[in-house]
Amino acid sequence: MKIICTRQNLIQGVTTAQRGVSPKNPLPILSGILLSAKDNQLELKATDLEMGIQCTVPANIQEEGSIVLPAKYLVEIVRRLPDTPIQIETEQGINAVIRYGQSEITINGFESEEFPAFPAPQGNDTFSLPEEELKEILRQILFATSNDENRPVFTGVLMEMSEGDLRLIATDTHRLALREEKVADIAGEKNIIIPGKALNELSRVIGAPDRKVDISLGDNQIIFSMEDTRLVSRLIEGQFPNYRQVIPQGHKTRLRIKTKDLLESLERASLLARVGTQIVRLSLETDKMIIFANTEVGRIHEEVPIYLEGEAMQISFNAVYLIDALRAIGSDNIYLDLTGPLSPGVLRPVDGDQYLSLVLPVRTS
Amino acid sequence: MKIICTRQNLIQGVTTAQRGVSPKNPLPILSGILLSAKDNQLELKATDLEMGIQCTVPANIQEEGSIVLPAKYLVEIVRRLPDTPIQIETEQGINAVIRYGQSEITINGFESEEFPAFPAPQGNDTFSLPEEELKEILRQILFATSNDENRPVFTGVLMEMSEGDLRLIATDTHRLALREEKVADIAGEKNIIIPGKALNELSRVIGAPDRKVDISLGDNQIIFSMEDTRLVSRLIEGQFPNYRQVIPQGHKTRLRIKTKDLLESLERASLLARVGTQIVRLSLETDKMIIFANTEVGRIHEEVPIYLEGEAMQISFNAVYLIDALRAIGSDNIYLDLTGPLSPGVLRPVDGDQYLSLVLPVRTS
C-alpha cells in the first residue's frame, strides 16, 4: 500500500474510525485501525466485534493494499503532523512509514489478513432521518440508559417501529426517556434493542446540517449509513420491560416551570446534597416550589416560581436524575406532572408532545 | 458578621483566597477560608502554615465580624449563585447563611478564633516589578523546579539580589533555568530560596497590565503585595548548589533554530519515545538536525533546518526536558550551545541575554 493524503482528511478518517476501537479489548489487533487503499479512497475500519465503524476519505492511491495500525498512536501522531501532503507506505505488510516533508515515522502494525471480518451489512427495512434530528433525539434519550452490564437490556435503547411511527425508549429503572417521531418510510412493525454504546458513538459522528442517516436492519444487526461513514452494531437480545405500564395516565398536579430556574436551583442543591444521597425534597405550593436539602455540610432552601394546577404536595427526588432530565429536555419551559409522592414525576416540554421523561421519587421518612 | 456583596466580587475573593488552601492539610480548619468584615471591605484569608494568601473585595458591611467557611464548598456555591446581590450573615459564629433572591444556603463553618494567626508581614528591602513581567519571569523559571520533597532546596527558586541586579534560578539537577533582570531599587546583597509552590500560586493571581507587585523580605519570609491581594511565604532553608559551576563557559557548537520547528519535531518524537525512556538522539550536521528515536512502537526520523557554527556532533537528550525548555523560552528563534556529547546543552533566546536554560544530555551506548 502506498498513498498520499492531506493531513485534514487523514485526521478526519482516523478520529472517526477510532470510535470503533474498544479500550479494553483483549485481542491486540482490535486496538488497531484497518487501513485499505483502493479506488482512489482510503478506507478505515475498526471494530470491537460488537460494533464497527468504517469510513472513507479521499486519497491519491499509488499502490493498493492494506495494513492494521495501532489506533492510539496513529491518532496522536496524525494530529501532530505538519500541514503538508502525507505519504503512507507499508513495509512487508507489518509496518507503515508515514512521510511528511523531510521526516518520517515508522509504526509497527499487524498484517491486515489477521483483522476480523467486519460484520457484513445486510440491511432491509430502510428509513432515513436528518443527522441533526437524530443527534437531538439521541441527546434526549441516551442519558437514561444504564451502565450495568449485568442487565444488558437496560444498557440499550428500545426502538419501536410501527407503520410511520418511530419510538425510542431508554430506562435504567430509576428514570425513563421516550421520544416519538413520525417517519413516513417505516412500514410494518418491529421492535429492537440497540446498544447505548453504539448510539453514543453514532451521536459523536453525526450532526452535519443537510445530511441524512440511512438506517437499515438485518438479522440481529443495525446499520447506520452516513455520507462517508458507516456504523454497524449488533442488537441486544432480551425482553425490554413494558414501559407503558410505568408511565402514569393523567395527573393530580401539573407544574409549569422555567427549565433554567429549576435547573440552576437543583444544581446548587446538588452541591450540598451530594455529601449525602443526593435527595432533595420539593414542596409544591400555588406559586412556588421550595427545594430543600440538609446534609452535614449545611442546608439549602431554594424557591423557584411555578404555575401549579391541582393539588399542592411534597415529593422527594434524586437531584442528579432531575438535573439530567432537565438538561436533556431541550425546551425553555416544562410541565412536571405528578400523581402522588410515591408515583413517578413526568417531565414534558411545554411546546410539543413528542417527548417525555420520567423520574421515580425517593421515599423519605 | 452581616454583609452584602456582588456575585462578581465574591467570586474574585474566594477563588483568589482558595489558592492558599492546601488539599492535603491535616488540620480541618485549614481547609477553610477566613472571612472578616470591617471598614467596608470583606477580607479573605487562607493558609497552609507555609504560605498564606489574603485579599480584600468591596462589600457593604452591615455588621462587622468573621467566620471560617470550607473553601471547597464556598467556591463551588459562589460560582453557581445567580447574579443578584448576595447577603452573608453568620449564625452563632459557626455557620453562615448565604441569601440570594428568595433562596438561601446555610454552610457549617468554624469559629474564626480557631484560625491560626496569619504570618504577619514584616518586610524590608522592598522592590517592585510589573505584574506582567514577573509572570513571564516565573513562566520561564518554574518548570525547572523539582517536585521531590526530600530535597527541599530543589523545590524552590533561588533569588539572588545584588546592587540593582535580580537573578532567579531553578534546577531539579537534570535541567536549570536562569533569568536576570535589572531592578534599580535593589540595594545590598541577599540570596534567598522561595518555595516553587508559592511562586506557582503567585503566577496565577498576577498578570494584570499596568499593575505592580511590591516584593519585601522579612526574617525567613517573603511578601508579595498586589493591589488587593497579598501572598506571604516562608523561605526554604539550606544551601542552593553552586549553579555557576554547571553552566559551560563558551561552546564548541552553536545551532540557531526556529523554536517552533524544533518543538513540533520533538513533540512527535516524544509520542514514540515515551514508550521507552523519552531518549532522543540528535545528529547535528551543517544545515540540519536529525532527531531519531526507536522504541517497540516504531521509530522516528525528523529533520529540522538549522544554522550550525562549529563542530558537527551527536548528542542524546530526554525529549520532555527539551520540550519544557522550548515552551518556556518565549522567543521565536533560539541558540543551542554545546561543548560535547556529555556536557549540558544551553538554550538561549536569539534576541536577548537575560535568560538561559540548560539541559543535561543522556549518555547512550
Side-chain angles (χ1 to χ4, degrees), chain A residues 64-126:
Chain A
E64 295 194 347
S66 56
I67 190 168
V68 178
L69 295 176
K72 191 176 120 196
Y73 291 104
L74 191 59
V75 170
E76 289 184 342
I77 289 167
V78 163
R79 283 206 181 120
R80 291 206 173 271
L81 290 179
D83 199 6
T84 53
I86 315 292
Q87 190 198 62
I88 304 181
E89 184 176 4
T90 55
E91 285 181 345
Q92 295 115 38
I94 54 158
N95 55 40
V97 187
I98 302 171
R99 294 195 184 90
Y100 44 98
Q102 300 304 307
S103 302
E104 62 179 49
I105 295 176
T106 306
I107 324 185
N108 303 329
F110 304 89
E111 288 191 62
S112 56
E113 289 73 25
E114 294 171 34
F115 201 76
F118 202 71
Q122 21 132 309
N124 304 304
D125 308 312
T126 303

Side-chain angles (χ1 to χ4, degrees), chain B residues 190-210:
Chain B
K190 196 159 193 177
N191 294 349
I192 58 171
I193 308 173
I194 310 166
K197 180 177 173 297
L199 293 176
N200 251 315
E201 298 302 341
L202 177 68
S203 77
R204 285 163 203 266
V205 297
I206 61 175
D210 305 324

Side-chain angles (χ1 to χ4, degrees), chain B residues 147-205:
Chain B
N147 293 317
D148 181 0
E149 298 290 344
N150 293 318
R151 302 168 79 193
V153 294
F154 296 109
T155 66
V157 172
L158 174 65
M159 187 159 105
E160 288 187 347
M161 291 152 284
S162 161
E163 301 294 354
D165 281 323
L166 176 70
R167 196 172 290 128
L168 285 100
I169 303 100
T171 179
D172 65 1
T173 72
H174 303 290
R175 59 247 178 104
L176 178 148
L178 180 154
R179 167 77 191 236
E180 293 178 316
E181 194 68 35
K182 296 277 173 213
V183 182
D185 305 350
I186 291 177
E189 308 241 340
K190 196 159 193 177
N191 294 349
I192 58 171
I193 308 173
I194 310 166
K197 180 177 173 297
L199 293 176
N200 251 315
E201 298 302 341
L202 177 68
S203 77
R204 285 163 203 266
V205 297

